[in-house]
Amino acid sequence: MFRGAGDSEFSFELLVSRWAELAWHPDDGPRPVVVARQLGTRERRWDTVILEVDPEAFARRRRFGDRGLDRDMLRVVRAAPAEFTWYRDAIADPGFPWRYVRAAVHRAAGRDLVEKRRDDRGRIEFRRVSEYPDWVDRFVVVENKPDLDASAAAALADQLRHDVDGGLADEVWVATAATGDSVSPALLEDMPVEVGVLEFDFSAGVDVDAAEVLWHPTRLGGDDDPRLGGMAPVGDSGADPTVPKRFELAERAYGSGWRSFHDTMRPDCRHFELRREGRALVPYCAAKGRHPTAAECAGSCEEFSPEPPQWRTGGWPVEGGPGKGIKALLERRRERERDGAAAGRDGASAEE
């Protein structure tokens, strides 16, 4: 399907996501980013999401911890006042029972995101620990189609038009695989002209030079859309009763990243490995002798063989066993990229 690790859209997606960490932005030079995959709304899911971040603001977001904030906690944290205030006075009427807001205040306090207390009437009051920052500069979505033939392009066109017109993304791109043709098939298909096209050659693995821009996208300015509520803080006067979708998606991206494939695959299988593909580490199945898809690397796989219990005890070969070691490694890689974005560094200098 493409020149690179594996022959599936899943493998291509992982390689594109790692390239984005290393080399984004393809037009304007390196920028600090947070990259996630398989993220979206009820109506639309994207293969790769790239958050271009403001380093100083992102460093302040890091103070809220390593886990993402769900919609309810975002409502609480964004509205948290500087001084202790009854939660019903601090937060605008959400349009559903207040007990759910109260529960979110308790959860947020349990994670040290806010401080809470009871006043002399027994009511729950809370205040901010730190002001939630406007940490996302731009929201970019990428659809990965390594084999972009006419039928695939036709099916994709309506989805891309939805992305362009939806007001959420600042840029929309299609990532496809290099074919060696003098004119890429992606340029011959009927796709929205606002969508950028990236062509990848991963035959030597992932590196900063693996992509070529075939078509430059239109800057859409999604954060100006009033339907989305923007990304600006709301101050002490109370939050908008709805949490802007960009905030919610950004937090989900922050919490998961693109290396979260270990959550849906089986690194606890004795055949599961990570193989280097240039400057990327991607899953490999020793039993099948190839890179598996996310769907086939499951407990139902005929080759699935759980790690022996003795691998997980006594600290050999790593504490908790190889599966735990792989998860820990991927978590460390994610933290390194987060730290680099907070420091204003691009990923080009970092090895996977």
Side-chain angles (χ1 to χ4, degrees), residues 64-83:
F64 287 86
D66 297 332
R67 296 157 60 189
L69 308 182
D70 62 35
R71 185 180 183 86
D72 292 332
M73 281 195 286
L74 267 175
R75 179 178 290 107
V76 170
V77 170
R78 293 181 66 236
E83 303 298 333

Side-chain angles (χ1 to χ4, degrees), residues 7-337:
D7 59 357
S8 67
E9 286 193 16
F10 172 69
S11 294
F12 187 76
E13 178 181 297
L14 297 184
L15 299 181
V16 169
S17 297
R18 174 56 179 155
W19 173 86
E21 279 186 341
L22 291 170
W24 194 263
H25 186 276
D27 279 339
D28 302 330
R31 298 175 181 175
V33 295
V34 171
V35 181
R37 62 180 189 84
Q38 290 302 310
L39 190 72
T41 66
R42 183 178 302 175
E43 297 81 19
R44 182 76 167 98
R45 178 173 293 272
W46 299 286
D47 296 332
T48 301
V49 170
I50 302 166
L51 305 178
E52 298 177 7
V53 306
D54 172 81
E56 189 277 332
F58 185 62
R60 288 189 283 124
R61 165 59 187 89
R62 298 279 281 135
R63 299 172 192 166
F64 287 86
D66 297 332
R67 296 157 60 189
L69 308 182
D70 62 35
R71 185 180 183 86
D72 292 332
M73 281 195 286
L74 267 175
R75 179 178 290 107
V76 170
V77 170
R78 293 181 66 236
E83 303 298 333
F84 277 112
T85 305
W86 185 34
Y87 70 92
R88 291 200 188 191
D89 286 341
I91 301 174
D93 189 341
F96 51 80
W98 280 104
R99 65 179 181 273
Y100 296 111
V101 177
R102 186 172 62 247
V105 172
H106 288 306
R107 289 196 296 118
R111 287 178 51 179
D112 297 322
L113 304 176
V114 298
E115 294 179 343
K116 70 171 184 177
R117 71 180 186 185
R118 290 187 181 273
D119 65 13
D120 54 8
R121 298 169 59 182
R123 301 184 307 180
I124 299 296
E125 297 181 330
F126 76 112
R127 69 179 179 187
R128 73 171 69 119
V129 172
S130 180
E131 187 174 8
Y132 185 85
D134 180 5
W135 58 277
V136 177
D137 280 343
R138 298 197 325 132
F139 189 95
V140 180
V141 299
V142 182
E143 189 71 19
N144 298 316
K145 290 295 180 185
D147 186 16
L148 191 60
D149 56 18
S151 60
L156 190 59
D158 287 344
Q159 299 176 36
L160 294 173
R161 174 51 58 190
H162 175 276
D163 297 341
V164 169
D165 295 340
L168 181 58
D170 293 289
E171 280 183 6
V172 179
W173 293 79
V174 169
T176 188
T179 61
D181 296 341
S182 58
V183 179
S184 171
L187 296 179
L188 301 177
E189 304 303 340
D190 186 18
M191 293 189 293
V193 296
E194 299 91 341
V195 176
V197 179
L198 285 166
E199 186 177 75
F200 287 90
D201 182 352
F202 289 128
S203 57
V206 176
D207 205 344
V208 294
D209 299 323
E212 179 183 359
V213 178
L214 301 184
W215 187 264
H216 299 271
T218 300
R219 303 297 172 88
L220 302 173
D223 57 344
D224 293 329
D225 192 322
R227 293 171 295 172
L228 302 170
M231 289 292 290
V234 295
D236 291 338
S237 60
D240 186 291
T242 62
V243 176
K245 183 59 68 176
R246 283 162 67 96
F247 271 112
E248 186 180 356
L249 290 171
E251 281 295 329
R252 286 167 53 194
Y254 176 86
S256 63
W258 69 268
R259 295 175 179 84
S260 55
F261 54 80
H262 63 71
D263 292 332
T264 55
M265 302 180 80
R266 297 304 301 259
D268 58 332
C269 174
R270 68 168 69 216
H271 304 302
F272 189 96
E273 301 176 0
L274 291 178
R275 289 284 179 93
R276 180 170 294 281
E277 295 293 332
R279 298 177 68 179
L281 293 174
V282 293
Y284 184 83
C285 177
K288 296 178 180 178
R290 59 180 173 84
H291 298 275
T293 66
E296 67 182 330
C297 185
S300 58
C301 173
E302 293 181 357
E303 304 291 343
F304 175 68
S305 178
E307 298 170 341
Q310 59 267 29
W311 286 15
R312 306 174 188 174
T313 60
W316 181 92
V318 291
E319 186 175 356
K324 290 287 187 180
I326 288 172
K327 289 184 177 182
L329 174 65
L330 294 173
E331 291 288 346
R332 289 196 300 270
R333 295 297 193 270
R334 181 174 62 177
E335 288 306 295
R336 182 200 61 200
E337 295 299 330

